[in-house]
């Protein structure tokens, strides 16, 4: 073994070296050392020092080989390393620390293909990529190639080792470099089960890409994710897939009619996840339709996400039905608040019969889960979510503006009206909606809108409103406390649910309940995040609670009020944050509110 003069210690480079010295020079006896030293007395001091350092390493290697831990078989050590050092998000190669313990452990890890099956190519140098593939031998590997590496040099390495690649993730930094994928898409991958190709967009305008994914060269593929590529919408493409994600892709052939598109999708019976972004608009011919009775049933489908123009989503969604616990996430693309298509109702079937039969609204989850509706209208978020639990599916409606920075705050009043309209045309929820969480500029909502939403969801037990810094929404308390001349009764389905689910509950409405205010079963009310502008909202809250009590409604279990400091920049500069009197006044004010509200509520919290 030759020694590089530029380094004082040799490197372990040869994969075929044997232990326990692994390339170190053999240890000489005492007489041999003396004789060698006499013969080289005229040599340089540096050469002698290097010789002694190598000999010291050799002795350490021999001593290390006799340690008790090395009596364990190599296979058992490798199993221990594999079990204790699983890759995580903080370190993709945690076992590299073990390679520095001793030459024996280093050699074991280098020779075990199990440690080299996750390949990350993140820079322009491909030496690590080639070395990793060499050490993995013929083990099935997962390759992740970032857009920062030299794709022109990396692609031939991928093609060379195609026969033992199990997962392949490739990021293309621009559409102009997409042609580099051609050799990969034309190669047979007999063991590939997961393919993710992301061609990133380099400009705001839609760019045409002629690179085509064929689908016939991956016979075992079960997970497919493509962005900005051409593909054929055929039975052979989706028949064996479990997960399908398409982003801004287009068909290699001409767009299909709705009936033909559904005819291919019907063969994807193994699909559990379908995510389509900006695909329906280019895959289905505009103006084509299918009969209302045409429904593709995918019994394994648990997650369906569609991001497209609202009218294209509404045309497609009635024709697909997944598992009873499938989550439907529908996002409508629009140009902003003034876009006439910026509407949640535009995402749902327009035909009343189809809307009534829409799976998430027709068959929500049964107890013990309590359905929750969450509505948010903030600067970068405009959404309505309806679910029983994070694991039981549900419905998620969103609006996404293609103009950056759209403020959806003023949209909250319209969103609540649309939510009320959605449930007005659907069968009553079973179980009924018991939790309603609202996040947005609540002071823009009119009293009539609160009346609409409370009448559409009369069985709410928990109402939580995050005002996002606006003024206190007094219209909420007006709607909750205002007399209802003709009385209000809960639907029979709601009463039956309460009777079967909470027979011993203290505040369960009976069939003969007719209350003169809205939300008679409300137990928890929280209004927080409102800006303090000098007005006292406590009187409005007291008037609301007294009116409800006067009409025979039980007291709230919980009331939470939380204000934010409503200060301009000059006031912020003058405010002394370390002044204890500021906190004392806040505490005294909280105690004053608590004393005033304790007579009409079981528990009050000021935060």
């Amino acid at each position: 073994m030759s020694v590089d003069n530029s380094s004082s210690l040799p490197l372990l480079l040869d994969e075929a070296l044997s232990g326990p010295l692994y390339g170190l020079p053999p240890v000489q006896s005492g007489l041999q050392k003396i004789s060698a030293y006499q013969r080289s007395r005229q040599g340089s001091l540096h050469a002698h020092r290097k010789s002694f350092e190598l000999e010291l390493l050799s002795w350490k290697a021999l001593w290390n080989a006799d340690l008790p831990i090395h009596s364990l078989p190599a296979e058992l050590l490798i199993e221990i390393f594999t079990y204790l050092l699983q890759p995580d998000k903080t370190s993709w190669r945690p076992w590299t620390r073990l390679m520095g313990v001793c030459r024996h452990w280093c050699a074991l890890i280098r020779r075990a293909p199990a440690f080299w099956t996750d390949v990350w190519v993140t820079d322009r140098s491909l030496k690590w990529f080639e070395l990793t593939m060499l050490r993995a031998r013929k083990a099935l590997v997962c390759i992740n190639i970032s857009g920062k590496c030299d794709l022109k040099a990396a692609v031939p390495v991928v093609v060379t080792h195609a026969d033992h690649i199990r997962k392949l993730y490739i990021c293309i930094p621009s559409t102009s470099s997409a042609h580099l994928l051609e050799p990969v898409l034309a190669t047979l991958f007999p063991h590939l089960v997961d393919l993710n190709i992301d061609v990133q967009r380099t400009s705001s305008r839609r760019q045409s890409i002629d690179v085509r994914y064929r689908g016939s060269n991956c016979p075992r593929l079960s997970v497919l994710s493509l962005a900005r590529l051409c593909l054929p919408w055929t039975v052979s493409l989706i028949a064996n897939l479990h997960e399908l994600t398409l982003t801004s892709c287009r068909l290699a052939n001409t767009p299909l009619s709705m009936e033909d598109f559904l005819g291919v999708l019907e063969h994807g019976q193994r699909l559990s996840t379908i995510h389509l972004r900006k695909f329906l608009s280019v895959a289905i011919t505009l103006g084509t339709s299918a009969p209302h009775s045409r429904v593709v049933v995918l019994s394994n489908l648990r997650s369906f996400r569609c991001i497209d123009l609202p009218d294209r989503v509404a045309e497609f969604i009635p024709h697909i039905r997944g598992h009873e616990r499938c989550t439907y996430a529908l996002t409508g693309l629009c140009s902003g608040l003034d876009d006439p298509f910026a509407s949640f109702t535009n995402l749902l079937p327009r035909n009343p019969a189809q809307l009534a039969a829409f799976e998430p609204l027709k068959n929500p989850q049964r107890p013990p889960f309590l359905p929750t509706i969450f509505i948010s209208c903030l600067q970068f978020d405009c959404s309505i979510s309806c679910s029983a639990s994070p694991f039981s599916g549900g419905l998620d409606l969103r609006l996404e503006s293609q103009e950056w920075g759209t403020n959806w705050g003023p949209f909250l009043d319209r969103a609540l009206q649309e939510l009320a309209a959605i449930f007005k045309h659907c069968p009553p929820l079973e179980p009924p909606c018991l939790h309603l969480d609202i996040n947005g500029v609540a002071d823009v909502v009119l009293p009539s809108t609160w009346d609409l939403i409370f009448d559409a969801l009369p069985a709410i037990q928990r109402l939580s409103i995050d005002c996002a810094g606006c003024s206190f929404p007094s219209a909420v308390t007006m709607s909750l406390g205002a007399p209802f001349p003709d009385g209000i009764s809960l639907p029979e389905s709601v009463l039956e649910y309460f009777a079967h689910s909470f027979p011993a509950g203290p505040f369960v409405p009976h069939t003969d309940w007719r209350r003169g205010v809205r939300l008679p079963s409300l137990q928890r009310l929280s209004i927080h995040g409102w800006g303090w502008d000098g007005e006292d909202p406590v009187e409005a809250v007291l008037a609301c609670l007294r009116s409800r009590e006067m009409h025979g409604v039980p007291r709230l279990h919980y009331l939470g009020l939380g204000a934010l400091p409503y200060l301009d920049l000059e006031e912020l500069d003058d405010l002394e944050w370390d002044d204890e009197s500021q906190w004392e006044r806040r505490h005294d004010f909280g105690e004053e509110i608590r004393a005033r509200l304790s007579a009409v509520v079981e528990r009050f919290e000021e935060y």
Side-chain angles (χ1 to χ4, degrees):
M1 174 179 175
S2 60
V3 179
D4 186 1
N5 292 330
S6 63
S7 176
S8 61
L9 299 178
L11 296 177
L12 183 61
L13 296 177
D14 190 351
E15 300 289 341
L17 294 175
S18 59
L21 295 179
Y22 297 102
L24 291 172
V27 177
Q28 299 175 335
S29 63
L31 293 176
Q32 289 175 326
K33 286 189 294 182
I34 294 174
S35 176
Y37 176 75
Q38 291 176 345
R39 289 194 303 269
S40 58
R41 289 182 63 183
Q42 303 303 323
S44 64
L45 180 61
H46 178 74
H48 289 301
R49 178 180 178 180
K50 181 175 292 186
S51 176
F52 285 133
E53 288 178 348
L54 289 175
E55 182 179 355
L56 179 60
L57 286 176
S58 298
W59 281 109
K60 287 183 177 180
L62 292 174
W63 176 82
N64 182 69
D66 290 334
L67 292 177
I69 192 172
H70 289 142
S71 62
L72 296 175
E75 295 78 7
L76 182 56
L77 281 175
I78 292 175
E79 190 69 23
I80 294 174
F81 297 161
T82 305
Y83 178 77
L84 295 178
L85 296 175
Q86 293 292 335
D88 53 33
K89 293 182 179 180
T90 59
S91 175
W92 292 107
R93 304 183 193 90
W95 34 259
T96 53
R97 300 192 301 269
L98 297 179
M99 297 180 71
V101 173
C102 66
R103 299 176 73 84
H104 180 53
W105 285 17
C106 181
L108 289 179
I109 293 175
R110 287 160 54 103
R111 294 174 181 176
F115 294 100
W116 308 98
T117 55
D118 289 322
V119 186
W120 289 79
V121 187
T122 57
D123 53 29
R124 301 191 64 84
S125 175
L126 297 181
K127 292 183 178 179
W128 175 256
F129 186 18
E130 296 171 346
L131 179 62
T132 304
M133 298 303 297
L134 178 64
R135 292 176 177 175
R137 300 176 189 174
K138 290 298 181 181
L140 297 179
V141 298
C142 172
I143 300 178
N144 193 316
I145 300 178
S146 74
K148 297 180 180 180
C149 74
D150 186 354
L151 290 173
K152 190 175 182 179
V155 166
V157 180
V158 172
V159 173
T160 302
H161 298 277
D163 60 335
H164 61 105
I165 296 179
R166 187 172 183 268
K167 298 180 180 181
L168 178 60
Y169 307 140
I170 303 179
C171 178
I172 308 297
S174 65
T175 53
S176 60
S177 303
H179 67 280
L180 298 175
L181 283 173
E182 291 287 2
V184 174
L185 300 178
T187 302
L188 176 64
F189 291 84
H191 300 287
L192 190 67
V193 298
D194 188 347
L195 176 62
N196 186 322
I197 300 179
D198 181 12
V199 181
Q200 297 184 346
R201 186 178 62 179
T202 54
S203 64
S204 57
R205 62 184 181 88
R206 190 180 185 94
Q207 296 172 297
S208 177
I209 301 176
D210 296 327
V211 179
R212 176 176 177 177
Y213 171 76
R214 297 167 178 81
S216 58
N217 58 337
C218 306
R220 298 188 179 183
L221 195 67
S222 61
V223 179
L224 176 62
S225 178
L226 301 177
R228 300 174 185 86
L229 289 180
C230 297
L231 73 155
W233 187 252
T234 58
V235 173
S236 60
L237 174 73
I238 68 171
N240 296 320
L241 292 181
H242 292 197
E243 299 180 16
L244 175 63
T245 302
L246 301 176
T247 302
S248 299
C249 292
R250 65 182 182 89
L251 296 186
N253 45 14
T254 58
L256 304 174
S257 65
M258 177 70 77
E259 181 65 35
D260 292 340
F261 188 90
L262 295 174
V264 174
L265 182 61
E266 197 167 21
H267 291 81
Q269 292 300 318
R270 298 183 180 182
L271 285 169
S272 62
T273 300
I274 299 178
H275 292 174
L276 306 176
R277 181 180 178 89
K278 296 183 179 180
F279 181 67
L280 295 180
S281 298
V282 298
I284 302 177
T285 304
L286 181 64
T288 61
S289 61
H292 293 169
S293 59
R294 180 71 165 102
V295 178
V296 174
V297 179
L298 304 176
S299 57
N300 292 318
L301 187 63
R302 296 299 187 101
S303 174
F304 178 81
R305 182 180 300 274
C306 185
I307 304 174
D308 218 303
L309 299 177
D311 56 334
R312 307 310 296 271
V313 177
E315 292 172 357
F316 179 77
I317 195 62
H319 302 292
I320 185 171
R321 182 178 303 166
H323 189 273
E324 63 177 3
R325 292 190 174 183
C326 177
T327 297
Y328 297 83
L330 311 179
T331 300
L333 300 177
C334 56
S335 59
L337 293 174
D338 298 331
D339 190 333
F341 292 100
S343 169
F344 291 113
T345 55
N346 285 340
L347 291 168
L348 297 175
R350 295 186 177 89
N351 183 280
Q354 288 181 318
L355 180 61
F358 186 39
E359 189 70 17
L361 301 177
K362 173 186 176 184
N363 186 27
Q365 301 308 308
R366 298 296 187 261
F369 301 118
L370 302 182
T372 298
I373 294 180
F374 178 83
I375 182 168
S376 174
C377 289
L378 300 173
Q379 182 169 0
F380 298 106
D381 182 33
C382 186
S383 62
I384 294 177
S385 300
C386 179
S387 64
S389 77
F391 309 103
S392 62
L395 176 65
D396 183 90
L397 303 178
R398 293 180 180 272
L399 295 177
E400 179 180 318
S401 175
Q402 302 189 69
E403 295 181 0
W404 176 255
T406 299
N407 184 6
W408 291 99
F411 195 78
L412 182 59
D413 182 81
R414 181 175 168 185
L416 288 172
Q417 293 182 31
E418 294 182 359
L419 178 62
I422 290 173
F423 287 99
K424 179 181 179 181
H425 294 91
C426 295
L429 288 177
E430 299 178 6
C433 171
L434 302 183
H435 299 167
L436 177 62
D437 293 343
I438 300 173
N439 189 2
V441 185
D443 62 351
V444 303
V445 181
L446 300 175
S448 59
T449 303
W450 291 116
D451 295 345
L452 284 175
I453 193 66
F454 294 154
D455 291 345
L457 303 170
I460 292 175
Q461 290 186 327
R462 186 192 73 189
L463 175 62
S464 176
I465 303 175
D466 186 342
C467 300
C470 70
S471 300
F472 184 83
S474 56
V476 176
T477 56
M478 291 174 57
S479 179
L480 291 176
F484 198 76
D486 298 330
I488 182 172
S489 61
L490 299 180
E492 291 297 327
S493 60
V494 176
L495 297 173
E496 291 179 4
Y497 169 76
F498 277 115
H500 288 87
S501 302
F502 307 101
F507 298 113
V508 176
H510 302 288
T511 54
D512 57 346
W513 270 35
R514 288 186 175 272
R515 301 305 183 189
V517 292
R518 292 178 173 85
L519 304 188
S521 57
L522 184 65
Q523 299 179 11
R524 298 175 64 88
L525 175 62
S526 174
I527 306 176
H528 55 279
W530 41 277
W532 188 269
D533 55 5
E535 297 184 6
D536 186 3
V538 179
E539 285 301 325
V541 176
L542 281 171
C544 169
L545 299 181
R546 288 168 179 163
S547 175
R548 294 176 63 85
E549 187 174 14
M550 183 179 62
H551 287 84
V553 176
R555 292 183 180 181
L556 295 179
H557 281 178
Y558 170 85
L559 173 65
L561 297 177
L564 297 176
Y566 206 60
L567 305 173
D568 57 26
L569 295 178
E570 294 182 358
E571 291 174 321
L572 286 174
D573 293 336
D574 298 337
L575 186 62
E576 297 180 6
W577 296 98
D578 296 331
D579 188 358
E580 293 185 0
S581 61
Q582 299 278 353
W583 300 102
E584 291 177 357
R585 286 195 293 271
R586 178 182 176 88
H587 175 74
D588 294 341
F589 179 73
E591 291 300 320
E592 178 185 349
I593 294 178
R594 191 182 307 276
R596 295 165 66 186
L597 293 173
S598 60
V600 291
V601 68
E602 296 290 334
R603 176 189 169 197
F604 169 72
E605 181 177 344
E606 185 268 335
Y607 52 95

